[in-house]
Amino acid sequence: MRLSRRIQGLPPYLFVQISRKIAEKKAKGEKVISFAIGDPDIPTPDSIVQRLCREAKVPANHRYPETYGLQEFRLAIAEWYGRRFGVVLDPETEVLPLIGSKEGIGHLAFCFIDPGDIALVPDPAYPVYAISTMFAGGESYVMPLTTDRGFLPDLEVIPPEVARRAKVMWLNYPNNPTGAVADLAFFEKVVAFARRYDLVVCHDAPYTEVAFDGYRPVSFLEVPGAKDVGLEFHSLSKSYNMTGWRVGMAVGNAQIRDALMRFKSNLDSGIPQAIQYAAIEALKGDQGCIEEHNAIYQRRRDRIIKVLQEIGLGATPPRASLYIWARIPDGYTSAEYATRLLDGAGVVVTPGTGYGTYGEGYIRLSLTAADSDIDEGLGRLRSWSKSQPPTPGKRPANNLT
Ligand SMILES: Cc1ncc(COP(=O)(O)O)c(C=O)c1O
């Protein structure tokens, strides 16, 4: 058997070692507490579940769906964008339902990247942007996201010859893993840059509804001209606790949307119709659940931040997203810190390097563990960190020299 080069080229899966250790601990009967996965623990609102149950009984929904989705669903998406962001979308040409946004993100590269082409990809980032670029034969040019720039890429430092060769730019705000947010002024610069270099901008925005302290994240498409250059990916996964339902959407530029639709129509047959109806229920129904969920996440965020600061990890409260991006003490790599924490306290966090080289020195904690687990996990983290010897690069607290 000879695997394709693209499969052989996949980077080693960072989480394999951690997953093995978790399995070993569980086999020994030890309780492991995970802050690793961004998968809401709160159930999908009942009205959405009820709608699925009703629609599952309708024979018309047992047949193949269309790749481009039910007209009613596309309309519900367009109306939701209008209500939420004031963005006007044509449901026929500017909206494409996806089998979860990951599916569309993964396939987009095949519509624009030929072997040797460049995609501008942030680092740290959701890994699918770089992997799909690699699958399509392209190269990723890394846009570092660093704390001094609020985890926004510096477009000025991208060499013009790289920008000219690049065909796609990936962005994601509110950001996974850093929790950073972007404003319209930043997106205006992105639109100007994309026009200058004839780039497709793909803005991945599954966390716009998970926000705190009254903050309301913006859509890239709110910027004048954004629709000329870009597509925005969105999802019901995090907004309505529907990660397991696999339903999302791409909206924006009609030509980009059409390319993705043509590609997808050769590979998949769309989203099961009963799920599309449940998604319509989510988008058109009472939106009160979003505030309720955000209040829960905000409480968790504050509890976690308090303990992280207490034990000396640098972390600022994110204004949006499901993640806390915490700076670990010098002297550990992210992977070492995560491994020691798992070994020593049975607590799982994600090493920052799982999201790229610029994730070194950080760990990511998710807000989606149950409250009781968060309390226990934080208690363990506190005692474990007290038991740690001072690390090589870290001056002991009582050393005044
Ligand atoms: C930044 C980002 N984009 C996309 C996704 C995929 O979401 P889904 O496929 O569930 O819509 C995730 C999931 O965690 C994510 O963090």
Side-chain angles (χ1 to χ4, degrees):
M1 192 188 298
R2 282 164 300 156
L3 292 173
S4 68
R5 278 193 293 275
R6 69 182 66 82
I7 291 294
Q8 290 178 41
L10 281 172
Y13 190 50
L14 182 81
F15 304 107
V16 167
Q17 202 196 359
I18 292 184
S19 304
R20 191 174 41 77
K21 280 184 187 285
I22 295 172
E24 279 168 17
K25 284 193 170 281
K26 285 188 174 162
K28 281 194 235 150
E30 289 175 37
K31 182 173 174 192
V32 173
I33 297 199
S34 179
F35 289 96
I37 305 162
D39 187 359
D41 58 310
I42 311 163
T44 308
D46 194 49
S47 56
I48 304 172
V49 179
Q50 291 302 329
R51 181 77 187 262
L52 174 73
C53 294
R54 289 201 301 281
E55 299 293 346
K57 293 185 182 147
V58 177
N61 294 337
H62 301 167
R63 310 191 68 189
Y64 280 124
E66 297 287 358
T67 305
Y68 47 79
L70 289 165
Q71 207 234 356
E72 206 181 328
F73 183 32
R74 280 181 276 116
L75 190 61
I77 293 170
E79 287 172 355
W80 182 84
Y81 251 81
R83 281 193 304 278
R84 172 64 180 87
F85 300 113
V87 169
V88 178
L89 294 169
D90 179 342
E92 297 306 319
T93 59
E94 296 177 334
V95 174
L96 181 63
L98 299 172
I99 311 169
S101 62
K102 183 179 190 179
E103 174 264 298
I105 294 166
H107 287 148
L108 191 281
F110 293 90
C111 305
F112 291 94
I113 300 291
D114 285 316
D117 286 344
I118 289 182
L120 304 175
V121 175
D123 177 341
Y126 185 57
V128 185
Y129 319 137
I131 298 282
S132 58
T133 303
M134 185 272 277
F135 275 165
E139 288 165 37
S140 292
Y141 179 86
V142 164
M143 300 186 291
L145 305 187
T146 52
T147 180
D148 53 315
R149 299 190 52 84
F151 300 106
L152 298 174
D154 186 353
L155 304 181
E156 301 300 318
V157 301
I158 300 170
E161 63 278 14
V162 170
R164 272 193 291 273
R165 264 182 67 204
K167 293 175 89 178
V168 174
M169 173 190 278
W170 282 101
L171 294 171
N172 159 230
Y173 295 97
N175 186 258
N176 174 16
T178 66
V181 295
D183 60 12
L184 293 177
F186 170 72
F187 285 142
E188 274 164 20
K189 286 189 204 147
V190 170
V191 170
F193 187 86
R195 281 191 199 280
R196 192 175 334 138
Y197 292 108
D198 187 21
L199 285 175
V200 166
V201 176
C202 294
H203 183 233
D204 181 19
Y207 298 101
T208 58
E209 304 317 291
V210 186
F212 316 116
D213 307 315
Y215 174 69
R216 297 274 277 167
V218 296
S219 160
F220 170 68
L221 297 176
E222 286 178 53
V223 169
K227 226 201 267 179
D228 298 336
V229 296
L231 198 67
E232 186 159 85
F233 291 87
H234 217 294
S235 173
L236 279 77
S237 288
K238 321 285 167 151
S239 311
Y240 304 100
N241 303 336
M242 291 173 72
T243 46
W245 298 56
R246 311 312 304 135
V247 53
M249 58 271 208
V251 299
N253 182 277
Q255 244 185 307
I256 308 175
R257 176 259 179 211
D258 185 58
L260 186 55
M261 207 278 285
R262 279 163 46 208
F263 186 85
K264 272 169 60 59
S265 64
N266 285 284
L267 286 186
D268 70 60
S269 302
I271 306 163
Q273 283 190 178
I275 290 187
Q276 293 188 56
Y277 282 113
I280 294 171
E281 181 69 37
L283 295 174
K284 292 179 93 158
D286 181 8
Q287 302 295 297
C289 60
I290 291 182
E291 257 184 58
E292 281 168 34
H293 303 152
N294 287 346
I296 296 171
Y297 295 135
Q298 187 173 319
R299 277 199 302 277
R300 292 176 179 175
R301 176 199 70 170
D302 293 343
R303 285 194 347 244
I304 297 174
I305 289 279
K306 186 165 168 279
V307 174
L308 295 180
Q309 289 176 345
E310 221 177 274
I311 65 172
L313 265 58
T316 42
R319 296 172 80 192
S321 89
L322 289 171
Y323 309 107
I324 292 174
W325 189 236
R327 179 98 206 150
I328 56 170
D330 293 343
Y332 294 100
T333 66
S334 311
E336 276 163 11
Y337 191 88
T339 307
R340 285 203 206 183
L341 181 58
L342 175 58
D343 282 339
V347 171
V348 189
V349 296
T350 318
T353 38
Y355 305 95
T357 29
Y358 285 84
E360 185 54 274
Y362 291 89
I363 51 168
R364 192 196 77 170
L365 290 91
S366 151
L367 306 176
T368 56
D371 289 302
S372 54
D373 281 351
I374 290 184
D375 283 341
E376 188 176 341
L378 291 177
R380 290 186 190 189
L381 179 58
R382 206 189 262 120
S383 355
W384 173 80
S385 97
K386 276 190 200 140
S387 71
Q388 291 308 291
T391 50
K394 203 185 164 203
R395 207 185 289 157
N398 62 357
N399 182 349
L400 301 174
T401 54

